[in-house]
Amino acid sequence: MTRATSLQAGTGAPGRASIGVRTLRTDNWWRAPLVTFILLTIWVAYATVRAFSQHAYAATQEHYLSPFTSPCVTASCPAEFRDFGTWFGHFPPFVPLAIVTLPFLLGFRLTCYYYRRTYYRAFWASPPACAVAEPHAKYTGETRFPLILQNLHRYFFLAAGVISLFNTWDVIQAFRPVGHTFGFGLGTIVMLVNATLLWAYTLSCHSCRHIVGGRLRNFSAHPMRYAAWGFVSKLNARHMQLAWTTLATLMLTDGYIALVSSGAFNDPRIVH
Ligand code: FES
């Protein structure tokens, strides 16, 4: 494929069948991009407010830390949550406490093959659906800035793996409430489910599948990699579902911790 190619797009492009309407589809093709647009907008609005608010992100007694604030490495965080040290001084208001990881998480999700498909359709209408002409006059694919940066996905995947380790650490800490060597509550379960699904989403990544099983002439000489590739492939088949489920569990986990942290809800303790 020639790089930096600019093609005319839509039904008016040379060589395309000339039809007088935008699409011949008669089903509700607009429903999926519309629902995606609404859900992603709600999620981004929620995550932006929560990540920038510096409010109710940690329940000290229960040792719960919001995934939007992990790892907490600034002097603004309570000392109990600075397990990885204090890398920065106090942050002014409205600066995300997880500034170290948020750009990488954002990059990972934005460059994800599945999300690309969804937001290209829902936000840019490029195209809005199969067999529906896009409104743009030109098409350059992902060959130019900024979309050429989508190629960084494999590196964001590696960063996301490291960040999943931080999430796992937070769950371990949630089994160690203040004053007890072991204990857990409903919030610990919520955090555990969230971290498990985040691992599943991360490992289901197409880049992960390529790293695990790619560049091999045959699998028979690499049984371990074949087994790992089989496992990742099974997860990969659920990548779309995991992409949406983890958005929901991230929101749920953060919301739950916000309620406990602000005193609006008492975390039911299962083992003290
Ligand atoms: Fe979706 Fe890598 S393709 S996270």
Side-chain angles (χ1 to χ4, degrees), residues 71-91 97 100:
C72 229
V73 289
T74 108
S76 301
C77 303
E80 298 87 339
F81 294 99
R82 277 184 260 147
D83 298 317
F84 300 99
T86 309
W87 304 358
F88 307 105
H90 281 277
F91 276 6
L97 297 179
V100 175

Side-chain angles (χ1 to χ4, degrees), residues 5-245:
T5 305
S6 174
L7 302 172
Q8 280 185 279
T11 49
R16 299 288 295 270
S18 174
I19 56 174
V21 290
R22 193 170 168 206
T23 181
L24 296 176
R25 285 181 66 167
T26 54
D27 61 332
N28 293 329
W29 57 265
W30 46 267
R31 190 180 287 160
L34 178 64
V35 170
T36 303
F37 178 86
I38 293 169
L39 292 181
L40 282 182
T41 302
I42 291 171
W43 195 89
V44 169
Y46 176 87
T48 304
V49 169
R50 289 294 298 150
F52 283 81
S53 73
Q54 294 187 6
H55 178 67
Y57 58 84
T60 308
Q61 200 64 28
E62 295 81 0
H63 219 147
Y64 297 160
L65 180 64
S66 164
F68 290 142
T69 317
S70 178
C72 229
V73 289
T74 108
S76 301
C77 303
E80 298 87 339
F81 294 99
R82 277 184 260 147
D83 298 317
F84 300 99
T86 309
W87 304 358
F88 307 105
H90 281 277
F91 276 6
F94 308 117
V95 174
L97 297 179
I99 200 154
V100 175
T101 48
L102 279 182
F104 295 100
L105 280 180
L106 191 63
F108 184 50
R109 295 265 171 174
L110 272 179
T111 59
C112 163
Y113 296 6
Y114 169 68
Y115 285 116
R116 272 142 81 172
R117 190 193 89 171
T118 56
Y119 67 76
Y120 286 166
R121 290 184 177 188
F123 288 82
W124 291 356
S126 180
C130 287
V132 180
E134 61 180 284
H136 312 286
K138 279 188 187 167
Y139 175 79
T140 55
E142 294 173 337
T143 58
R144 293 180 181 177
F145 183 82
L147 292 186
I148 199 167
L149 296 179
Q150 304 282 28
N151 287 302
L152 294 177
H153 185 64
R154 69 203 77 171
Y155 305 109
F156 284 126
F157 159 72
L158 297 175
V162 174
I163 295 167
S164 292
L165 291 174
F166 287 124
N167 295 129
T168 306
W169 177 259
D170 293 338
V171 175
I172 294 168
Q173 296 310 302
F175 281 98
R176 301 175 59 215
V178 171
H180 301 271
T181 38
F182 179 77
F184 65 94
L186 180 58
T188 318
I189 310 283
V190 171
M191 289 177 70
L192 178 62
V193 169
N194 179 52
T196 306
L197 287 168
L198 285 176
W199 270 116
Y201 169 69
T202 305
L203 294 176
S204 72
C205 170
H206 293 70
S207 290
C208 175
R209 188 165 176 261
H210 179 71
I211 288 169
V212 169
R215 293 170 170 270
L216 292 179
R217 282 192 177 275
N218 58 63
F219 274 128
S220 57
H222 304 275
M224 295 291 288
R225 286 186 66 180
Y226 179 64
W229 177 81
F231 173 71
V232 168
S233 295
K234 284 199 181 99
L235 287 177
N236 182 256
R238 298 272 175 276
H239 194 58
M240 178 182 79
Q241 291 87 339
L242 288 165
W244 282 107
T245 311

